[in-house]
Amino acid sequence: MTRSRLSLLSAVALLASLAASGAAGTPAAASPSAPTAAPAAGPSVLTFADPGFEQGGTGWEFTSGTGVASNYPHAGNRLAYLDAGSGMKVSQTVTATGRGGYLVSAWIATGGPGGRYVLRINGATVAERTLPAAANYRRHTLGRITLAPGDRLEIAFESGEGWVNVDDVMVSPAAPADPRVSSSDPEIVEMFDWAKGKANSWVHLPGTQGPLDADERQTGGTGTGVYAPSYWAGYANRSGYYSRDMAHQLSGAGVLGLHSENKEMLRAFAATATAEHAYYPVWALNFDNRSPLSIDYRGPSLFVREVPAPFELVQKAEEAYRWSGDPAYLDDPALWEFYRHATEEFVTLHDGQKDNGRVSVAEGTGKGIFRGVASYNEQSDEPLAEAGDAIGSQYQAYRAMASLARAKGERALAARFEGRARELKKYFNSTWSGSGSGADMVRGYTTDGRALTGWGKENSWFMPMKQIVAPGDRREAYLDYIDQQAEGDGRPDNIEALTYLPDTFLTNNRADTAWKWMRHIYAQKDVQHVNTRQGTNGDYPEVSFTLVGQTVQGLMGVTPNAPARTLATQSRLPSGMEWLSIEDLRVGDSAFTLRHDTDRRSTLTHTSGSAPYAWVARFPGAHAAVAVDGVVRPARTEVIDGATYTVVRTRVAPGRTVTVEVR
């Protein structure tokens, strides 16, 4: 039976109880309808009717010169259109039954400038955007807006100098955290404001009804399902999220307080890493957090799988635990068993082609993504057995497993994985990566045993990003090589690949190079993505989420540890950025304001929380003395991954502000 699509961006159900925490202007017959919303599913649910216009515009109001057409949908089969000229409008008004904050998004294409996208509450305009001329669909978002019970929210699209097409309206709950950045450099403020709003706009509410298995072949999907806590992580024209993308977006989601989404998505992947799948998690899941996305899954022995992914998910689960403090990361059997399988059986099962002596290195088959590949670099035709991004990710998974085991009180297990991480890093630097530097460093091995050097994109930049390359001149030369290749003919065509470069350089304390790449990525946000079905570069979710994370964890050097009530910071401000500050930085149940003045002074305010935090303030270099709130005391230094820091440890109680400065 053919099912009617509910919109790729979903028929949105706003759960108030949770919220409190025509193509080219070609006209079609108008489909006027009553101004009332579709019946709510219950007293706490507010539903927008027919957000993808697949039911002919039910629930929407249409003036003359507007209607529903089928000749240029963003997804599915239908869209709303407004002809060129003044005074035309497509709108829907719904009544809030609960209190909360929201963002509203829509895919819009235009044949000329001057159209408007507007939100009104009780008749008053609260957000609006004048639409540019852009014949390809772009995703426009308005909000955050706040609704109280009884408020009437109008979503309106108004005509301009050219035709306007609208499709796939989506409402997202405002993220639990609303971090606000200020700086001596207005560009980072503009970038962060855009990125946090854009990232928030990709979040689904549990209970949302939407399509399953929607992709470029079947744009309306194969049916509908109930969405679980999740956010978009992958192509915006597919109804699911990807392990690789989700892993890279997790830190940005942590900054926004999306802890429920992070946990449920990680748990969903963990549940699929079964013995039948040889302990690989599936590559992509629908937003129901249960079913594999069909474009990437054909059966238990034929699905997309890439060796770095399970390791990255273990690493990111440990990171999510530090952001949230949620004990489920230690106590949930599905998660814990996944960590153990990924770092034990998975490695053993997928290690048999290259002899690595005392250590085990997980391998791919060299036979394509549906048979298991060693590297994230899908554009390469190299038959890789082992790859730099896989071995680097395996190293970080071992470190994460040690950290999680230590937090769980399993000291022997933690010591075992600490030892494995040390051995793997030693083997990588003494043997696996060869003796060359720069272009001559080994970054992979083929299934017939050949060592590969030169530029490998992901299997190149992941090695220093995952910190498996030992500190020193060799690592610095390789970072130079990565920057040169990424700026030259070896630059990836897809923007989402470039989003790793700021992480690579920030991890290795090259703030100026990282900032250069952040600025480049942001400058490309309105450029059409190489996959035209995707929209613009900025409409690829990874772009916004990673810019959020790179600002906070990268430039501000924030390392949270909510379970231990500890917050570590390190200024990585680039040249010319005199100061950078963030408000509403959430870690566990606490909130902070953090400011760095160059790399010599940091100020932390514990704005809310139930107990004091230990603040570990790090400053690059060895300094003779430090001042804590003006009181001078001797400095202490420590070396981390080859870099020397002056370190101050102090206690910051709720309501208190502490300033630390090196002298």
Side-chain angles (χ1 to χ4, degrees), residues 190-215:
E190 176 187 304
M191 180 188 298
F192 188 83
D193 285 348
W194 173 84
K196 77 167 183 178
K198 194 72 169 179
N200 192 168
S201 77
W202 295 112
V203 181
H204 291 292
L205 271 173
T208 297
Q209 291 283 337
L212 302 178
D213 294 325
D215 56 46

Side-chain angles (χ1 to χ4, degrees), residues 187-188 191 465 479-480 482-483 486-487 498-523 546-547 549-551 553-557 572-575 577:
E187 186 173 8
I188 186 62
M191 180 188 298
M465 187 183 80
L479 289 166
D480 290 340
I482 290 169
D483 190 39
E487 282 199 324
L498 293 179
T499 62
Y500 288 99
L501 294 177
D503 297 305
T504 299
F505 294 106
L506 287 164
T507 299
N508 291 281
N509 291 323
R510 289 199 174 191
D512 286 355
T513 308
W515 177 232
K516 174 190 72 175
W517 285 109
M518 289 175 69
R519 295 180 68 214
H520 171 79
I521 290 163
Y522 181 64
T546 54
L547 287 174
Q550 288 154 3
T551 300
Q553 287 192 304
L555 297 179
M556 302 202 76
R572 297 192 187 97
L573 303 192
S575 300
M577 191 179 291

Side-chain angles (χ1 to χ4, degrees), residues 390-442:
I391 193 171
S393 298
Q394 183 176 333
Y395 167 68
Q396 284 296 337
Y398 283 169
R399 296 188 68 211
M401 187 67 220
S403 174
L404 290 162
R406 193 180 309 111
K408 197 174 173 68
E410 298 192 12
R411 296 182 180 178
L413 184 63
R416 185 158 74 247
F417 276 97
E418 285 169 350
R420 288 185 185 179
R422 284 194 302 270
E423 288 182 5
L424 188 62
K425 186 169 185 175
K426 180 179 178 181
Y427 169 69
F428 173 89
N429 288 283
S430 65
T431 306
W432 193 94
S433 61
S435 59
S437 181
D440 295 325
M441 183 185 289
V442 174

Side-chain angles (χ1 to χ4, degrees), residues 1 20 38 55 117 139 162 255 263 306 323 356 362 371 377 383 389 394 430 455 475 480 551 555 568 606 617 654:
M1 180 177 70
Q55 294 150 23
Y117 171 29
R139 193 168 186 265
V255 172
K263 182 175 68 176
E306 302 182 6
W323 271 110
N356 295 295
R371 298 292 182 183
N377 185 2
D389 46 344
Q394 183 176 333
S430 65
W455 181 231
R475 185 170 73 185
D480 290 340
T551 300
L555 297 179
H606 192 165

Side-chain angles (χ1 to χ4, degrees), residues 489-645:
D489 294 340
R491 176 182 295 190
D493 294 329
N494 52 328
I495 195 72
E496 60 271 25
L498 293 179
T499 62
Y500 288 99
L501 294 177
D503 297 305
T504 299
F505 294 106
L506 287 164
T507 299
N508 291 281
N509 291 323
R510 289 199 174 191
D512 286 355
T513 308
W515 177 232
K516 174 190 72 175
W517 285 109
M518 289 175 69
R519 295 180 68 214
H520 171 79
I521 290 163
Y522 181 64
Q524 300 298 307
K525 68 181 175 64
D526 295 324
V527 175
Q528 189 70 29
H529 191 274
V530 291
N531 177 353
T532 56
R533 296 176 183 271
Q534 160 63 36
T536 64
N537 285 330
D539 287 329
Y540 199 102
E542 199 167 354
V543 171
S544 53
F545 276 93
T546 54
L547 287 174
V548 170
Q550 288 154 3
T551 300
V552 178
Q553 287 192 304
L555 297 179
M556 302 202 76
V558 170
T559 303
N561 192 344
R565 294 195 177 276
T566 299
L567 177 63
T569 65
Q570 175 199 340
S571 171
R572 297 192 187 97
L573 303 192
S575 300
M577 191 179 291
E578 293 299 314
W579 61 273
L580 178 61
S581 176
I582 184 169
E583 300 175 60
D584 200 28
L585 172 64
R586 306 279 186 94
V587 180
D589 64 357
S590 286
F592 300 90
T593 295
L594 172 67
R595 172 170 168 149
H596 293 311
D597 289 272
T598 66
D599 60 358
R600 298 185 64 86
R601 184 174 64 199
S602 297
T603 302
L604 183 70
T605 301
H606 192 165
T607 53
S608 67
S610 59
Y613 258 66
W615 179 26
V616 182
R618 297 191 179 104
F619 302 88
H623 298 273
V626 298
V628 179
D629 288 338
V631 178
V632 179
R633 65 192 199 192
R636 298 176 56 188
T637 61
E638 60 184 37
V639 178
I640 303 173
D641 195 34
T644 299
Y645 299 94

Side-chain angles (χ1 to χ4, degrees), residues 101-361:
Y102 307 98
L103 295 86
V104 186
S105 304
W107 289 90
I108 304 173
T110 61
R116 290 207 314 155
Y117 171 29
V118 187
L119 298 181
R120 298 181 178 94
I121 298 177
N122 301 326
T125 298
V126 293
E128 62 180 324
R129 175 166 300 168
T130 300
L131 301 170
N136 291 325
Y137 276 102
R138 296 183 179 184
R139 193 168 186 265
H140 295 270
T141 300
L142 295 177
R144 305 162 65 121
I145 60 168
T146 301
L147 295 176
D151 281 344
R152 289 177 59 78
L153 171 64
E154 179 191 19
I155 305 173
F157 306 96
E158 299 174 355
S159 58
E161 297 176 27
W163 52 266
V164 177
N165 288 345
V166 179
D167 205 355
D168 296 321
V169 174
M170 175 177 172
V171 177
S172 297
D178 184 22
R180 297 172 295 281
V181 158
S182 55
S183 176
S184 59
D185 187 339
E187 186 173 8
I188 186 62
V189 178
E190 176 187 304
M191 180 188 298
F192 188 83
D193 285 348
W194 173 84
K196 77 167 183 178
K198 194 72 169 179
N200 192 168
S201 77
W202 295 112
V203 181
H204 291 292
L205 271 173
T208 297
Q209 291 283 337
L212 302 178
D213 294 325
D215 56 46
E216 51 270 33
R217 308 165 307 168
Q218 42 199 27
T219 60
T222 58
T224 62
V226 178
Y227 288 178
S230 58
Y231 50 80
W232 237 284
Y235 284 134
N237 62 315
R238 296 181 182 177
S239 61
Y241 54 89
Y242 283 74
S243 55
R244 171 181 175 170
D245 295 68
M246 187 263 171
H248 200 202
Q249 293 175 208
L250 182 140
S251 64
V255 172
L256 296 176
L258 300 174
H259 303 315
S260 176
E261 289 78 6
N262 279 341
K263 182 175 68 176
E264 295 307 318
M265 293 163 76
L266 285 166
R267 179 188 279 148
F269 279 122
T272 69
T274 61
E276 184 181 37
H277 289 153
Y279 298 110
Y280 269 108
V282 299
W283 187 234
L285 286 162
N286 279 295
F287 294 122
D288 62 0
N289 287 3
R290 293 184 302 171
S291 56
L293 197 63
S294 62
I295 193 171
D296 298 294
Y297 188 89
R298 298 169 188 169
S301 61
L302 192 63
F303 62 98
V304 176
R305 51 208 130 141
E306 302 182 6
V307 173
F311 297 134
E312 282 216 286
L313 293 176
V314 174
Q315 178 190 359
K316 292 300 178 173
E318 191 270 344
E319 186 177 327
Y321 174 56
R322 288 189 285 103
W323 271 110
S324 66
D326 189 338
Y329 285 103
L330 305 179
D331 301 335
D332 186 294
L335 286 169
W336 189 255
E337 287 305 306
F338 168 68
Y339 312 150
R340 294 297 305 271
H341 290 316
T343 53
E344 297 272 12
E345 291 95 334
F346 177 81
V347 178
T348 303
L349 279 172
H350 302 286
D351 177 26
Q353 299 181 77
K354 183 181 182 299
D355 182 4
N356 295 295
R358 294 177 54 189
V359 303
S360 296
V361 178

